[in-house]
Amino acid sequence: MEKGLHEGHRDRLRQRFLREGLDQFEPHNVLELLLFYAIPRQDTNEIAHRLIEAFGSLSAVFDASVEDLTRVGGVGMNTAVLIKLMPAVNRRYLEDRALRGFDAFSSHACGELLVSKFNGVTVERVLLLCMDNRGRVLHCAVVSEGTQSMVDISNRRIVETALRYNASCVVLGHNHPNGVPAPSQSDVETTRALARLLRSMDIRLYDHIIVADGEYFSMADCEKFSLIFAEPYW
């Protein structure tokens, strides 16, 4: 009888998702439904509550490390891997969607792509989008990674990466995991120096895009900084 009630609950929750999506689900219900596919014969509602209580929010559960997840009662390695798989799959989905009809010479398109690249990233990271002179993406490289509040932007590594992929044009992107998508004075100075250095090598710095909390700031689109990118470079 208990097994029948348990299976009936799972089916009702799945049917509710198919009818309504997840918008009206409580955070623990989202996890409960997900955990059906890693824990076939156990009450996942209780485990979902434990996870939310341990980490404080749904997003914090997905951002937690595998080691921390497996410290929660009822969470084994398979469950932890499934939880970590979700933001990684979502990042690939957003990236793939952003690349459909991608126009590299559009700050909006580059911004959307970089938002997808930084989805679920909890430390500061620097990316370089390398393109040819037709705007075709050659490669998107991680050139540096730091902590939650700082990262070193190495001009040498950026130049080496651009040359390695024979880029004619590049877009620099970095994230502020615990901040806002706006450049610091250090970001501005670094961008200006990098633009000059790349220009001397016949490589255009098209934009520097900063991402935070699913939003982006394009320095090239901001009148205050646009001259950094608009100066002749050929």
Side-chain angles (χ1 to χ4, degrees):
M1 181 67 174
E2 184 179 346
K3 181 179 178 182
L5 290 172
H6 183 56
E7 289 302 322
H9 171 69
R10 288 187 172 215
D11 187 58
R12 285 191 297 273
L13 201 60
R14 279 190 289 257
Q15 291 302 319
R16 180 185 168 196
F17 164 67
L18 292 174
R19 289 193 312 271
E20 305 172 8
L22 290 176
D23 290 348
Q24 302 303 315
F25 274 49
E26 292 294 328
H28 70 274
N29 291 138
V30 175
L31 283 175
E32 180 186 8
L33 177 60
L34 176 65
L35 298 184
F36 288 172
Y37 301 96
I39 306 172
R41 297 182 182 86
Q42 195 173 342
D43 181 6
T44 60
N45 183 279
E46 184 178 344
I47 298 171
H49 274 290
R50 283 192 211 126
L51 284 164
I52 297 294
E53 289 168 7
F55 299 104
S57 69
L58 182 63
S59 61
V61 172
F62 288 118
D63 288 340
S65 68
V66 168
E67 292 75 18
D68 287 342
L69 288 168
T70 54
R71 292 191 183 103
V72 175
V75 177
M77 182 56 70
N78 284 347
T79 302
V81 170
L82 178 64
I83 291 170
K84 295 303 295 180
L85 185 62
M86 291 301 102
V89 169
N90 188 48
R91 183 161 55 247
R92 290 296 300 270
Y93 162 73
L94 292 173
E95 177 185 334
D96 185 75
R97 188 176 67 176
L99 282 170
R100 293 202 302 258
F102 182 73
D103 176 8
F105 294 132
S106 157
S107 292
H108 174 71
C110 290
E112 291 294 315
L113 177 60
L114 288 170
V115 165
S116 71
K117 290 282 188 181
F118 287 116
N119 181 55
V121 177
T122 57
V123 296
E124 285 208 20
R125 180 179 290 175
V126 181
L127 298 179
L128 191 69
L129 192 61
C130 299
M131 300 170 289
D132 65 16
N133 57 12
R134 295 183 182 180
R136 293 177 298 193
V137 177
L138 303 171
H139 190 70
C140 186
V142 177
V143 293
S144 187
E145 190 162 280
T147 66
Q148 288 187 336
S149 59
M150 65 178 293
V151 67
D152 176 49
I153 298 180
S154 169
N155 285 358
R156 177 179 177 180
R157 191 172 299 172
I158 288 168
V159 168
E160 288 175 349
T161 302
L163 291 175
R164 183 183 309 128
Y165 294 101
N166 199 29
S168 299
C169 178
V170 297
V171 172
L172 186 67
H174 84 276
N175 62 327
H176 291 168
N178 297 321
V180 295
S184 65
Q185 186 57 40
S186 175
D187 291 335
V188 174
E189 292 169 0
T190 298
T191 305
R192 185 176 287 113
L194 179 61
R196 289 172 180 160
L197 178 59
L198 289 169
R199 190 178 301 118
S200 72
M201 309 180 79
D202 286 341
I203 300 171
R204 180 184 179 186
L205 178 61
Y206 180 75
D207 204 346
H208 182 174
I209 292 174
I210 300 164
V211 174
D213 197 24
E215 299 181 348
Y216 70 88
F217 179 93
S218 163
M219 289 182 65
D221 279 355
C222 178
E223 186 176 356
K224 183 178 179 180
F225 308 119
S226 60
L227 286 178
I228 295 174
F229 308 93
E231 294 171 3
Y233 58 92
W234 296 118

